[in-house]
Amino acid sequence: HDPHLGRTVAGSGNVFDYDAAELVAMDAGSWFAPRFRDEKVPLYTQFVDTCRENNIWMNVEIKPAPGFEQETGRAVATLTRAMFGLQIAADDPAQLPLFSSFSVAALEAAALAAPGIPRALLVDAAPRDWARQAAGVGAVAIHANHKKLTRELARAVRDAGLGLFCYTVNDPVRAREILDWGVEAFCTDRIDLIGPDFAG
């Protein structure tokens, strides 16, 4: 998730300063609890395999290193397309992951490399031209910062025929409010408060 090492993965510097072989050898568990010491960073392919084995749907956020937006979008999309070839051929979006990114350039590259995998535009404070940007990358949804989402923006997104997802909602009262506005899903760090049985 983080662009830098040191918070959840031991080490220092930027993630993009290391290659995959170096990253998968790093300890990603000690920060959480001693019993998770030496839990390794998984490869993307391992993560995908685990999600598929457990029927977990994936929102694949493309987080490019600065200056490598197109390359990252293309690489992620090419690898994902290879892993989901049969599902793409079946033309069943429910079987496919969703690419999301703050980077329009990364999403454009992903769209070219894997047009059959749906995309969502990630926004913090939605720019005035969010609808144009979403259309430009063929987005099926907007993923918005709930702290900056208004009822009016939620209505405009839904009226545009787009899905609406929010990050990161840790308060049940706020969760119910945005669901009432038309938000279809959200992520949370507090599954103890907003768990599987949470009713909007």
Side-chain angles (χ1 to χ4, degrees), residues 27-199:
D27 173 13
S30 292
W31 71 276
F32 190 71
R35 67 187 176 104
F36 295 109
R37 186 174 152 215
D38 293 326
E39 182 72 30
K40 301 303 181 195
V41 175
L43 289 169
Y44 178 57
T45 52
Q46 293 171 319
F47 173 78
V48 170
D49 287 343
T50 297
C51 288
R52 293 174 81 173
E53 288 166 11
N54 292 282
N55 294 316
I56 299 170
W57 177 80
M58 289 172 285
N59 170 23
V60 178
E61 183 180 348
I62 302 172
K63 293 190 169 195
F68 293 89
E69 289 80 7
Q70 292 178 334
E71 293 88 343
T72 307
R74 183 167 45 252
V76 171
T78 300
L79 181 55
T80 307
R81 184 188 68 212
M83 290 186 287
F84 284 88
L86 292 176
Q87 291 78 16
I88 293 170
D91 196 25
D92 181 1
Q95 296 183 54
L96 296 172
L98 175 74
F99 292 142
S100 64
S101 186
F102 287 102
S103 169
V104 169
L107 288 173
E108 289 172 341
L112 289 172
I117 297 178
R119 295 161 301 283
L121 178 65
L122 259 165
V123 296
D124 179 27
R128 289 187 178 188
D129 65 342
W130 62 264
R132 183 191 61 78
Q133 288 187 30
V137 299
V140 298
I142 297 290
H143 291 187
N145 182 344
H146 83 93
K147 294 177 181 177
K148 298 178 181 177
L149 183 72
T150 63
R151 184 188 299 270
E152 293 72 28
L153 177 59
R155 184 183 305 116
V157 170
R158 298 312 310 279
D159 286 349
L162 297 170
L164 181 56
F165 174 90
C166 281
Y167 66 92
T168 300
V169 186
N170 292 328
D171 175 35
V173 173
R174 177 60 171 167
R176 290 187 181 93
E177 179 179 46
I178 62 173
L179 289 173
D180 287 344
W181 291 355
V183 170
E184 297 173 285
F186 57 84
C187 63
T188 182
D189 296 326
R190 294 299 308 269
I191 58 171
D192 55 327
L193 298 177
I194 307 175
D197 297 326
F198 176 77

